[in-house]
């Protein structure tokens, strides 16, 4: 017990600096290590490559942040991404299909989020279990429709969304990512409903007592998360240019790791989408670093597990994260 | 909290000592209804050979379901079960290399490694105060990565392990006997031993349990070690079943382990329920899968049905608790 308290005070004495500053500091340190050990990662081409990879992960991590802000967890994002990928490959490759694909993806993924939110708020189901069960339901329906077979390549505009660039410099999906990031940060910081998300996340009962419709806020967060996952699924399908029933596999863990690493507290009400974006960037840099060093790719998984446990263990001891 | 588990002996006559558990009765009715329906549809369904198939299919869900129940009773959750199965399978195949004479030391070593994974889970949860979902999700990724590093492709295991999966004793499959023995021991420990009462106490209210002088760290760590041990044994059994150990053979088994727990009436909030419900729920789901196979329903729709059953079950029970 005494040891634990010592450890706690030691960790707290990292400074009373806000956690955000520490996260930024860690990122800066990481970049320095990368620059020394793997200088090839800082060529323009490599940076562009990493930005393209950041697109899908960043979008789904921001969605996950919304859900974690209201003390939830969404394990169904990967299956929503695969569903969006399947949808984006099933309307043919005419340019007009874009006007079918995008609304369908948003309606289907939003619908999955709505069911998640309704079950979690109205029937009081544990978020992780509800989304885990939805995962297998959606996976079953999708596989039954596609008969489990891969669907081949994606239409050209989805491909542009995934790996196209503007003037050969800025990836299109980075623009999309920044757009969604700025919009969601604006909503969370400046819009009344966004502020209410923090209130519901930090103290749901108090939020209900001051007249906030807490269920509506929570459900909205799940819908936003699923729609973000759907968008991310389209982007990832375009990036891979190959659609099967398992696009986005592993993104449930990656998105949670990114959000938690970026300072979104699992206890709810602390953090934001920009933090999640930063966390996603760290994850992409680390993954590429492991590739650059020539370490077997399975170490990426081990690294993610270690990172998320360490991040949560350290944040659990910091006052401004509770 | 489940009082009959805390107070093993009282003055009531034996038929009033245990209140009838409505979840168990409901599951029994469902099981009988399924057997009846199946028997009406095709006489092969209720035949002895099909029932033995169901009993074989229930082994892995029963093993990991029992482990998961004990963890859930302490108000935690173990999402690393699937990865531990993969690790155990890969280790068994890599260490034994089709050589049955090595099994006498391979099995204890593999079980030891798996149980130490459980110990690490327990220590991270209790000492570092990481939420069980995140902790086991993280360790799950780490173990999955390790399993893939050890053997990126499936490896043949010793075929003598098949005895475990395909041989019978007294007409009952060996695996089923072992799983039922594990069930009986767990039931006995949960009901009649101090550690059983402590598990319920920690799940009911960890803070109160600690104030009462219960070593909550020990209880939670034991639960995780037990669950990882069950998953490790399930992995060894699956090497016998499949003839090989694959680094991804445990994928999806987290949900397989949680489904019977919640269906059997054990609350995820902890401290209420038991392995009895898990046993009935495992056999219910195994019978349902068998019936759906007879009806030629595709695997994909079976996934949907499994998910919907979990959602319906858990929404019924959690609602009851809030009321």
């Amino acid at each position: 017990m005494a040891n634990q308290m010592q450890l706690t005070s030691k960790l707290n004495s990292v400074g009373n600096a806000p956690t955000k500053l520490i996260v930024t500091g860690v990122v800066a340190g990481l970049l320095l290590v990368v620059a020394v050990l793997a200088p090839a990662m800082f060529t323009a081409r490599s940076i562009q490559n990493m930005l393209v990879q950041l697109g899908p992960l960043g979008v789904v991590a921001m969605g996950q942040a919304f859900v974690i802000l209201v003390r939830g967890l969404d394990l169904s994002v990967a299956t929503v991404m695969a569903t969006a990928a399947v949808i984006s490959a099933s309307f043919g490759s005419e340019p007009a299909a874009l006007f079918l694909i995008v609304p369908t993806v948003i309606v289907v993924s939003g619908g999955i989020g709505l069911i998640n939110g309704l079950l979690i708020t109205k029937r009081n189901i544990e978020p992780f279990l509800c989304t885990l069960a939805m995962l297998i339901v959606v996976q079953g329906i999708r596989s039954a429709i596609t008969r489990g077979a891969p669907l081949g390549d994606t239409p050209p505009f989805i491909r542009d969304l995934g790996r196209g660039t503007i003037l050969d410099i800025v990836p299109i999906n980075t623009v999309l990512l920044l757009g969604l990031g700025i919009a969601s940060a604006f909503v969370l910081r400046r819009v009344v409903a966004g502020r209410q998300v923090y209130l519901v996340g930090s103290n749901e009962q108090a939020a209900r007592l001051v007249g906030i419709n807490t269920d509506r806020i929570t459900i909205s967060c799940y819908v936003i998360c699923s729609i973000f996952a759907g968008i991310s699924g389209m982007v990832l399908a375009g990036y891979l240019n190959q659609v099967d029933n398992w696009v986005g596999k592993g993104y449930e863990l990656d998105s949670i790791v990114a959000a938690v690493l970026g300072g979104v507290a699992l206890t709810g009400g602390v953090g934001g989408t920009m933090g999640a974006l930063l966390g996603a960037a760290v994850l992409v840099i680390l993954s590429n670093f492991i590739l650059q060093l020539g370490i077997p790719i399975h170490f990426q998984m081990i690294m993610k597990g270690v990172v998320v446990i360490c991040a949560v263990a350290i944040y659990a001891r910091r006052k401004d994260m509770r | 909290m489940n009082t009959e588990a805390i107070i093993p002996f009282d003055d009531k006559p034996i038929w009033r000592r245990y209140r009838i558990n409505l979840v168990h009765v409901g599951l029994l009715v469902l099981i009988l209804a399924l057997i009846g329906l199946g028997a009406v549809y095709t006489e092969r369904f209720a035949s002895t050979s099909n029932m033995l198939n169901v009993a074989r299919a229930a082994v892995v869900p029963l093993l990991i379901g029992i482990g998961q129940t004990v963890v859930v009773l302490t108000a935690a959750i173990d999402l690393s079960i699937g990865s531990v199965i993969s690790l155990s399978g890969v280790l068994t195949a890599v260490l034994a290399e089709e050589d049955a004479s090595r099994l006498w030391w391979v099995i204890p070593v593999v079980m030891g490694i798996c149980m130490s994974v459980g110990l690490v889970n327990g220590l991270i949860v209790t000492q570092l105060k990481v939420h069980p979902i995140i902790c086991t999700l993280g360790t799950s990724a780490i173990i999955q990565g390790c399993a893939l590093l050890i053997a990126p492709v499936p490896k043949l295991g010793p075929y003598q392990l098949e005895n475990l999966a395909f041989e019978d004793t007294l007409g009952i499959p060996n695996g089923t006997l072992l799983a039922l023995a594990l069930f009986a021991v767990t039931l006995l420990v949960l009901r009649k031993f101090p550690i059983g009462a402590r598990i319920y106490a920690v799940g009911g209210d960890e803070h109160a349990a600690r104030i009462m002088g219960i070593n909550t760290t020990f209880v939670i760590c034991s639960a995780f070690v037990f669950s990882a041990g069950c998953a490790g044994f399930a992995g060894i059994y699956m090497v016998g079943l499949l003839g090989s150990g694959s680094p991804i053979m445990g994928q999806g088994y987290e949900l397989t382990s949680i489904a019977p727990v919640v269906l059997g009436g054990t609350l995820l909030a902890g401290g209420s329920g038991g392995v009895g419900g898990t046993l009935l729920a495992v056999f219910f789901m195994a019978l349902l899968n068998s019936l759906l196979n007879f009806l030629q329903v595709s695997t994909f729709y079976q996934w949907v049905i499994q998910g919907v059953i979990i959602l319906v079950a858990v929404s019924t029970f959690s609602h009851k608790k809030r009321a």
Side-chain angles (χ1 to χ4, degrees), chain B residues 3-246:
Chain B
T3 43
E4 76 242 32
I6 303 297
I7 310 160
F9 304 106
D10 59 10
D11 305 333
K12 288 180 193 158
I14 192 155
W15 59 88
R16 291 192 58 191
R17 200 174 293 163
Y18 299 104
R19 280 168 300 157
I20 292 171
N21 190 327
L22 285 178
V23 176
H24 293 190
V25 174
L27 279 169
L28 268 178
V29 169
L30 282 173
I31 287 174
L32 291 177
L34 269 183
I35 295 177
L37 271 177
V40 169
Y41 178 73
T42 160
E43 57 190 26
R44 277 182 303 150
F45 182 76
S47 68
T48 320
S49 65
N50 187 49
M51 285 301 134
L52 287 181
N53 274 337
V54 170
R56 277 195 196 95
V59 171
V60 172
L62 187 55
L63 286 172
I64 56 179
I66 290 170
Q68 187 72 270
T69 308
V70 173
V71 173
V72 170
L73 281 177
T74 66
I77 189 95
D78 190 350
L79 295 180
S80 67
I81 280 182
S83 296
V84 173
I85 290 180
S86 302
L87 179 73
S88 152
V90 159
L91 277 177
T92 310
V94 166
L95 291 177
E97 282 183 341
E98 304 178 50
D99 182 2
S101 60
R102 293 190 201 166
L103 280 178
W104 67 269
W105 62 266
V106 166
I107 291 178
V109 165
V110 170
M111 289 297 286
I113 292 172
C114 291
M115 286 161 98
S116 53
V117 169
L119 183 64
V120 170
N121 275 334
L123 288 175
I124 292 173
V125 168
T126 54
Q127 301 303 307
L128 299 180
K129 310 276 180 237
V130 176
H131 193 284
I133 294 178
I134 296 299
C135 162
T136 52
L137 214 54
T139 48
S140 174
I142 297 172
I143 301 160
Q144 181 66 74
C146 291
L148 284 163
L149 280 177
I150 293 169
V153 289
K155 268 195 135 61
L156 282 179
Y159 72 91
Q160 284 84 348
L161 264 180
E162 287 177 7
N163 294 344
L164 200 63
F166 294 107
E167 295 284 301
D168 297 351
T169 309
L170 300 173
I172 300 171
N174 284 340
T176 314
L177 283 178
L178 280 171
L180 286 177
L182 181 74
F183 165 78
V185 170
T186 315
L187 187 72
L188 192 71
V189 169
L190 282 179
R191 294 214 168 191
K192 300 289 179 201
F193 281 71
I195 181 81
R198 285 180 193 146
I199 284 173
Y200 280 92
V202 169
D205 188 335
E206 193 188 335
H207 186 64
R210 193 181 305 125
I211 290 172
M212 275 186 339
I214 293 176
N215 186 346
T216 54
T217 304
F218 175 77
V219 171
I220 293 174
C221 285
S222 318
F224 274 108
V225 168
F226 178 68
S227 146
C230 290
F233 186 71
I236 296 172
Y237 175 81
M238 278 173 78
V239 173
L241 200 65
L242 306 170
S244 63
S246 146

Side-chain angles (χ1 to χ4, degrees), chain A residues 64 67 71-77 116 119-120 124-136 222 252 256 266, chain B residues 68 71-72 75-80 131-134 136-137 254-255 257-259 261-262 267-269 310-311 314:
Chain A
Q64 192 71 257
V67 170
R71 294 191 196 192
L73 207 56
D74 193 343
L75 297 179
S76 66
V77 285
N116 274 336
L119 284 169
I120 287 162
N124 211 14
I125 305 185
E126 295 262 337
F128 92 92
L129 183 61
C130 176
T131 50
L132 199 60
M134 275 303 281
L135 181 165
I136 193 171
Y222 279 95
E252 61 278 69
I256 294 170
L266 291 159
Chain B
Q68 187 72 270
V71 173
V72 170
I77 189 95
D78 190 350
L79 295 180
S80 67
H131 193 284
I133 294 178
I134 296 299
T136 52
L137 214 54
E254 312 70 15
L255 193 62
S257 72
I258 299 170
V261 176
V262 294
L267 293 181
L268 286 171
I310 296 167
L311 287 176
V314 77

Side-chain angles (χ1 to χ4, degrees), chain A residues 123-124 249 266 301 317, chain B residues 127 134 144 251 300 318:
Chain A
R123 301 302 305 180
N124 211 14
K249 199 161 187 254
L266 291 159
M301 250 173 141
R317 291 167 198 285
Chain B
Q127 301 303 307
I134 296 299
Q144 181 66 74
Q251 271 182 6
F300 305 138
S318 68

